[in-house]
Amino acid sequence: MANANISSVPIGSEGPRARWKYLDNILGRSGPFTDPDWVPGETVIESLERAKLLVIGAGGLGCEILKNLALSGFKDIHVIDMDTIDVSNLNRQFLFRHADVGKYKAEVAAKFVEKRVKGVKITPYCGKIQDKDEEYYKQFAMIVCGLDSIEARRWINATLVGMVDENDEDSLKPLIDGGTEGFKGQARVILPTMTSCIECQLDMHAPRAAVPLCTLASIPRQPQHCIEWAHIIAWDEERKDITLDTDDPEHITWLFQKALKRAQEFNIEGVTYSMTQGVVKNIIPAIASTNAIVAASCCNEAFKIATSTNPFLGVPDTENYMMYTGDEGVYTYTFQHLRQPDCPVCGDDSRARPLQVNPNSTLQEFLDGLAERPEAQLKKPSIRSEEKSLYYQSPASLEEQTRPNLSKKLNELLENGEEVVISDPAFPTQFKYQLTFKE
Amino acid sequence: MADLPPPVQGPTAKEKKYDRQLRLWGATGQMALEDSHMLLINSGPGVVGIETLKNLVLPGMGNFTIQDSAIVSEADLGVNFFLEEEYIGGFRAEHTCNLLKELNPDVQGNFITEPIDSWLTQPDSLKPFTLILAIAPIRPELLARLSAHANATLIPLFYVHCVGFYSHFSVHLPSAYPIVDTHPDSETTADIRMLKPWPELLQFAKEKTSNMDTMEADDHGHIPYIAILLHHLEEWKKGHDGKVPQTYQEKTEFKTTISKAARTNNPEGGEENYDEAVAAALKSLKEPEPSSSVKEIFKVPECVLVNKESPSFWVIAHAIGLFYTKYGVLPVPGAVPDMKARSADYIQLQNVYKSKARKDVMEVLESVRFLERTTGRETVIEEKDVEQFCKNAAHIKLVRGRPFHVVQAGETIKWGERAKSIAQNLTFPDTLIPLYIAFLAFDEFVATHDKDRLSGAPKMPGETRQETDTEKVTGIAFKITDDLIKEAGTFIEEPDYTAVKERIGEFVQELVRAGGAELHNIASLTGGIVSQEIIKAITEQYIPVDNTCLFDGVKSKTEVIRI
Ligand SMILES: [Zn+2]
C-alpha cells in the first residue's frame, strides 16, 4: 500500500496544540486503514472539539469514560448519574475520595476531570435518564453508556431508536455501551435502526433463574435459599411496615440473623454477612482493571467514530460487539450481532414474536415467567389481548378490575394463537407476542 | 449441634472498601496483593504504565516504585491523567507517584528519577521488588539485564508496548508456575462420580429409592436425582452383565428409561427431579477421568522428584499423583450441585460427599506427611492447603514461563521450538502475529538509533520522519519474517507470502503513523489487561496469559501467542 495520503501537520512542543502533540500524530496523519477521502488535520480536530457527548453513569465505568473522553480531545461532555458515592465504590471509582462519600457521583466526577484536564467542559446532571426527553437527547452526537442496570440500558436504547427520523441524518445517535462482571466484560456499538440494538441482544444477558418460592418456603438446601427466604418472606411477615433499605446495615444484619437461624434449623452451612449482602443487593463483583478495559474500548470506538482516524465497530454489516474474558488467559470475541427482525424495539412493528405457553398455567404464572425470559425480562408487565384487558398494573381501579384474571388459566382467557400486547412502565415500547398452546 | 447465632460482626472498614474485589480473589488474594512491591520502569509518553498502576493502587497493592527520569512536558498533560499543569518541568516519576498515591491511602508509593542506565548498574537495585513492569522503548542491554534478573530470582517480568492503536505485552513467569486456585466455571466443577460410587453413596441411593413405585406423589417428586440415576444404573447393570451403558445407543436407551420412569399423572405432567436426572444422564456416564493437562502435571520432573526444598505445590501434587495411580480417580471434590430435594435428604447427601472428600483428603495428607519425613522437609504443609488442593485437583494448572525476545541490534531473533508453529500460523488471515513482528521491528529500530541527545530518551520510529521510518521498519520486519520462516525450515507459498508481507506492511505503517505516541484509550485498555495479569501473577489465582498478548485497537481484537 502506498503512503499517498500522508500529510504532515506540524508537530511541535509549543503553541496551542502543544498539549495534544501525541494525539495530533494520529489526527494529522493518514494510516493504511483510513478512508482514501479522509483529510487529516484541522477539520478533524475541529469536529472532535465540536462533538457534544453524553455519558450515562458516573460509576466504575463512568469515571473511566469521562477521563478517557477528556484525554481523547473531546471538549463538551455531559454526564448523568442519580447515585451518591458509597465507600464500596472507592476500590475502583478513582475520581472519588473518602471525603466525597455521600455526594453526587456526577458532580464530583465532572469537577475532578475538569480540574485535571484543562479546557474540557463537563456538565453533570444528578438524576434519572428518564427525567430527560427527546429534545434533550437530540443535542448529542453520541451517547456512551456505563451502566449496571439492564432496565436503564433498555430505556435509553428504545428512546434512541424511537428518535430516528429517516429524513434527518442528525437524528441517529450512535450508542456505545459497556458492561463488566469480575474479569469479564463487553463493549458494543449500536447505530439505532441500522444495527442490532440492545433489545435485539437481550438474550446475551440472560437473568439468573429465580429459585422457586416453594423451595424458599419449605425445602431450603443452600445458604442462598435461607437468605432469599429472609429477604422475600420473613421481612414481609415481621417488618411489613418498614421499607427494606439494602444499604442500611441494621436491615442487612436483621436479614443475616434471620437467614442464619433458618439455616441452622435445616443444618445448612455457609450463611455469612457478606453473602447476605451479596444476595440481597445482587452484588456483581467489580474491579478497576476490567472497568478500564471496557471503558477504554468504548471510548476508543467513540474516538474513531468522531474522527474517522480508523474504522470503528458498528459499521453496518460488520462487527459490532466485543466480548472480553480475562479469567482464563485473555480472550476477546469480536463479532457481528445480527438485528432481530422481530425485535420489539427496532424491528418491524406489525410482527409479534411467537411464544409457546402451557395453556394450563395461570396468567400470574405466565407474567412471572416473563421476568425470567432472557428476551423479555419484564418485571411489572401489563397485558392485553386483541379483545380485552387481561391485567393492568395501574391505574388502581383497572388493576382491581383485572386482578381476578391472574388466577385464571391462559386457555380460559385466550384462544390458541392469539396475539397479546405487553407493556411495562420501565420501557417506552410494547412487546407483542403470539401465544401458541403447548400440547 | 450448631450454636446460637453469634453477635453480628459487621464487615470491617477494609472489607467494606474492598468488598467488590474480595468476592473475586478473597482474603488470601488480598493479602498477597498487599505484600507485593512492584517496580515500574517507565518510558516513552509513559501512560500505559501509570494506567496499569492506577488499577493496582485502587485495589490496594502494598507498595510500588516508579523509575522514570523524564521531565514533565506540556505534551504529557494531553495524555496522562496523573499529572497537572503546575508540575511542568518537574520529575514525571515524582508527580505521577504522588497523584497515584492519592487514590488509596493504604498504598506506599516511591519514585526514582535517576536515569535507568546508571540506576540499574547499582548492586541490589532490583532487590526490593516482587514484580517488574518495563515499558518500551527501553535499551536492549537493559531489558536483557531485567530478563536475567527475572530468571535468577523467579519474579514475574512484564514488558509492554503501547503505540498508537496497537499494544503488546509479554510476561516472563518462572519456568514452573503452578496454580491451584484457577477459578474454574462453576458448571464444570460438579463431579458426582456416578460410575465410581462408594458404599455410603450406594446405601443412600438405595434408601431413597426403596419402594419407589408405591411412594406418595410428593415423596416421589422429591427423590434427589443422584439417587434416581444410581438406582437406574444398578438396575441396568443387573440386565447387562454388571456393565454400565457403553455405546451411544445404550446411553440414549438408559436416558429414555429414566425419562419413562417419571410420573406424568400429575397436574404438572412430569417431575422436576426426573427432568434433572435425564439432563444429567449422559454426562454422568462419562468416566471421571482427569484432563490430560492435569495428568501431565503428575509426570513432570518437579512432581516426580520432590525434595526437601520443593514448593508445597509439588509435594501435594506428588501425593495426589499417588492417589490417582492407586484409584484411577482424583480425590472427590465434595461439592454437590443443587437439586430438587427435601432439605434433610439434600443435607444427608451433601454429608455423604463431604465425608468421602474428607476421607480422600486424609489419605492424601498422610502421603504428604510421609513425603515431608522422607525428604527431610523443614516446614510443615498446612492441612487446609492440602484440602484446597484436593478440592481443585481437577482444575490445577501448570504454566511453563519462559523469557521473551530481547531484540539486540544486528542480531537475528531466535524463535527456537516455537518457530515452526508461529511460522505456520503466520498465514492465518486474522492473526496478530504480524503485529508482533512489527513490534519486534520497532524494537530493532530503537536499538539501532541513537538516543535523543537532549533528553536521553530512546528514539522511536515516525517521531519526525514518517515516510522514511516506515520504509526502514518495514524492511526490518520483512527480514525478521524471512528469518523466522528460515528457522522454521519451511517456506510460505504465493500468494500467501505476499499477503503476509502486505499485512506486516500495514501494521508497520499504522505503528509508525503514531510516531511513538500513546493514545490514552489504548494505554488505558492495555493498562487494564496488564493489571489483570499482574493481579493473577501476584495472587497466584486464575490462569495467566502464556506468554504474549497483542491488542489491535483498529479491529478491537486481542490474540494470545506463546513465543
Ligand atoms: Zn432491536
Side-chain angles (χ1 to χ4, degrees), chain A residues 167-312:
Chain A
N167 303 314
D168 177 9
E169 216 182 294
D170 284 344
S171 67
L172 192 137
K173 314 289 181 188
L175 171 64
I176 305 166
D177 176 75
T180 76
E181 174 168 0
F183 282 76
K184 300 176 187 172
Q186 82 278 339
R188 47 188 166 169
V189 177
I190 289 137
L191 302 186
T193 69
M194 296 179 74
T195 67
S196 152
C197 80
I198 297 224
E199 202 71 27
C200 296
Q201 298 171 12
L202 216 51
D203 57 353
M204 304 283 296
H205 305 269
R208 249 167 248 157
V211 182
L213 217 55
C214 64
T215 298
L216 302 183
S218 56
I219 47 167
R221 297 174 299 267
Q222 307 294 340
Q224 288 87 350
H225 297 166
C226 302
I227 296 167
E228 284 289 16
W229 171 83
H231 180 200
I232 295 170
I233 298 171
W235 185 277
D236 269 0
E237 281 174 7
E238 297 176 41
R239 299 185 116 188
K240 207 159 142 194
D241 302 328
I242 308 168
T243 310
L244 178 65
D245 175 4
T246 55
D247 288 323
D248 185 336
E250 195 275 329
H251 291 189
I252 296 288
T253 302
W254 190 90
L255 292 175
F256 165 55
Q257 283 177 324
K258 273 279 153 197
L260 195 61
K261 190 144 172 277
R262 183 168 175 84
Q264 284 172 349
E265 279 165 27
F266 287 93
N267 291 316
I268 296 168
E269 287 173 14
V271 173
T272 62
Y273 187 94
S274 162
M275 185 192 274
T276 308
Q277 217 179 8
V279 170
V280 172
K281 295 177 75 169
N282 191 20
I283 291 176
I284 293 161
I287 53 171
S289 304
T290 319
N291 283 331
I293 296 163
V294 167
S297 179
C298 290
C299 296
N300 182 39
E301 298 309 323
F303 175 75
K304 291 188 289 182
I305 292 174
T307 59
S308 305
T309 42
N310 258 321
F312 52 89

Side-chain angles (χ1 to χ4, degrees), chain B residues 279-311:
Chain B
L282 290 185
K283 219 177 130 202
S284 70
L285 292 173
K286 254 183 71 190
E287 287 287 343
E289 180 81 355
S291 70
S292 55
S293 69
V294 169
K295 284 192 280 188
E296 200 51 48
I297 292 176
F298 298 142
K299 289 187 213 143
V300 303
E302 290 94 333
C303 188
V304 177
L305 308 163
V306 289
N307 57 46
K308 84 189 265 221
E309 254 87 51
S310 291

